[in-house]
Amino acid sequence: PRYLSNLAYAYALVEYVPEKFDDGSSLFGHIAKRSIPSLNKFQPQELSSMIWAFERAKVSHPSLFAKVANHIVSLDHLGAFNPQALSNLVRSYAKIAGEESHRHPALFGKIGNHIHSLEHLGEYTPQNLSNIAWAFAKADTTHPSLFREVANHIASHCDLRAFKPQELSILMWAFSKVWIFPPRLFEKVAIHIESRRDLRGFEPQALSNIALAYSKAYATVDIAHPRLFDKVADHILSMDDGLEDFNEQEISNIGGAFSKADAIDSRLFDKLSAVAIDRQDEFSSHDIAKLLRWKE
């Protein structure tokens, strides 16, 4: 099993999928065919690496995905799976869950229950935590106790300086996606962002995710963090490149988030609407009208 897993992993890592053989079969097909009958012989890391490889290589194999998921669900416990293996598994399954036949809610439930049952999450890195939250949200799998466990751990034990901007952004997007807004977590992340010297390192998508998450928190449970919106606005206003790295959706989302949070900054809306007008071939007339209306 280790050789099969390593072979798939190696090809996926270099993003190379060999062409099909003369008989129409493929390397990844052969790996799946050899692996399925012996899944009970795979170590947890080998299962995780193989599923990660198939997803990374964009090789669809519903039978393998289903068999691995069912095998993991059938295990008595997941104590042998380390945080990275669990993170890779849920992230990979979330990415392939676009079709109903690829959804495996029992697998997410098993992993969510396992993580929730742990005495602490000290072995989970910021990347593990953000990827697990993202995966459950992306797969539209609700597991409130898991999200509460992650939120409590981060709020009580984590130094947010260890989180990369993208990891913070993904984390907050995930909580807002499943409509869970733990006050201590949102407060801690907001204070961390507000206290930063600047927001360099936050890509446009990260800024959009943060703004959207906090606007939903404000609209849903009245959690207000005006200083966070001021920080994001000041950062965007400091840019003198015409926001060329921002796409239409990010600009529209940021405008919508500020409006939803009642964080009206006329300077920001002037800039966003001016960019939309200058790049009107990228924006629908509806989006431009919304930005102009929000700035009034």
Side-chain angles (χ1 to χ4, degrees):
R2 177 163 59 91
Y3 299 112
L4 293 170
S5 175
N6 286 349
L7 185 60
Y9 181 87
Y11 275 96
L13 197 61
V14 297
E15 299 182 349
Y16 175 69
V17 179
E19 295 182 3
K20 290 187 175 181
F21 303 126
D22 292 340
D23 62 359
S25 63
S26 68
L27 174 64
F28 277 83
H30 280 289
I31 292 173
K33 185 177 180 180
R34 293 285 303 275
S35 300
I36 288 174
S38 56
L39 291 179
N40 62 332
K41 297 180 181 179
F42 279 75
Q43 295 297 316
Q45 185 61 36
E46 293 164 354
L47 287 173
S48 169
S49 294
M50 184 167 61
I51 291 298
W52 176 90
F54 271 74
E55 187 283 317
R56 175 71 178 265
K58 295 179 171 54
V59 176
S60 177
H61 202 293
S63 178
L64 175 68
F65 299 147
K67 294 290 187 181
V68 171
N70 291 339
H71 168 71
I72 294 172
V73 170
S74 73
L75 296 174
D76 290 337
H77 60 81
L78 302 184
F81 287 79
N82 64 32
Q84 189 63 50
L86 293 174
S87 172
N88 285 345
L89 277 170
V90 291
R91 195 166 188 269
S92 298
Y93 274 94
K95 285 187 171 184
I96 65 173
E99 300 177 17
E100 190 64 32
S101 60
H102 289 171
R103 295 183 185 274
H104 298 282
L107 173 68
F108 281 86
K110 180 87 172 186
I111 292 176
N113 290 340
H114 167 73
I115 296 173
H116 175 249
S117 72
L118 296 175
E119 186 175 342
H120 61 80
L121 301 182
E123 295 182 0
Y124 285 72
T125 67
Q127 184 182 49
N128 295 153
L129 294 169
S130 63
N131 281 346
I132 288 169
W134 176 88
F136 274 77
K138 177 69 174 176
D140 287 327
T141 303
T142 57
H143 200 301
S145 59
L146 167 68
F147 277 87
R148 285 195 294 269
E149 188 74 20
V150 170
N152 289 337
H153 172 72
I154 294 173
S156 301
H157 303 293
C158 287
D159 182 347
L160 294 186
R161 291 174 297 181
F163 284 75
K164 296 176 182 177
Q166 182 69 9
E167 292 164 351
L168 277 180
S169 148
I170 288 172
L171 183 74
M172 304 317 288
W173 173 87
F175 273 85
S176 69
K177 176 73 163 51
V178 298
W179 299 94
I180 295 175
F181 306 98
R184 291 174 61 225
L185 174 66
F186 273 73
E187 177 78 15
K188 183 170 183 174
V189 172
I191 291 174
H192 169 72
I193 293 174
E194 294 160 8
S195 66
R196 288 175 61 101
R197 181 175 180 179
D198 56 57
L199 297 186
R200 282 182 294 184
F202 282 82
E203 299 294 333
Q205 183 65 54
L207 294 171
S208 172
N209 284 345
I210 291 289
L212 281 172
Y214 278 87
S215 70
K216 287 178 71 174
Y218 175 75
T220 307
V221 293
D222 201 26
I223 295 178
H225 290 284
R227 289 182 59 196
L228 178 137
F229 283 93
D230 290 342
K231 188 80 172 185
V232 173
D234 289 342
H235 174 69
I236 294 174
L237 289 167
S238 72
M239 298 178 176
D240 56 7
D241 58 0
L243 305 187
E244 59 186 28
D245 290 335
F246 289 71
N247 62 33
E248 173 269 332
Q249 183 179 24
E250 290 158 354
I251 290 174
S252 181
N253 284 348
I254 289 171
F258 271 73
S259 177
K260 190 173 186 177
D262 289 336
I264 305 301
D265 186 314
S266 59
R267 300 169 304 153
L268 176 67
F269 283 100
D270 284 342
K271 183 163 188 170
L272 296 179
S273 56
V275 169
I277 291 171
D278 287 343
R279 291 159 50 184
Q280 56 187 289
D281 56 321
E282 303 173 30
F283 288 76
S284 68
S285 57
H286 178 64
D287 285 332
I288 293 176
K290 284 195 299 184
L291 285 168
L292 292 172
R293 184 174 70 253
W294 286 332
K295 79 176 221 177
E296 293 175 354

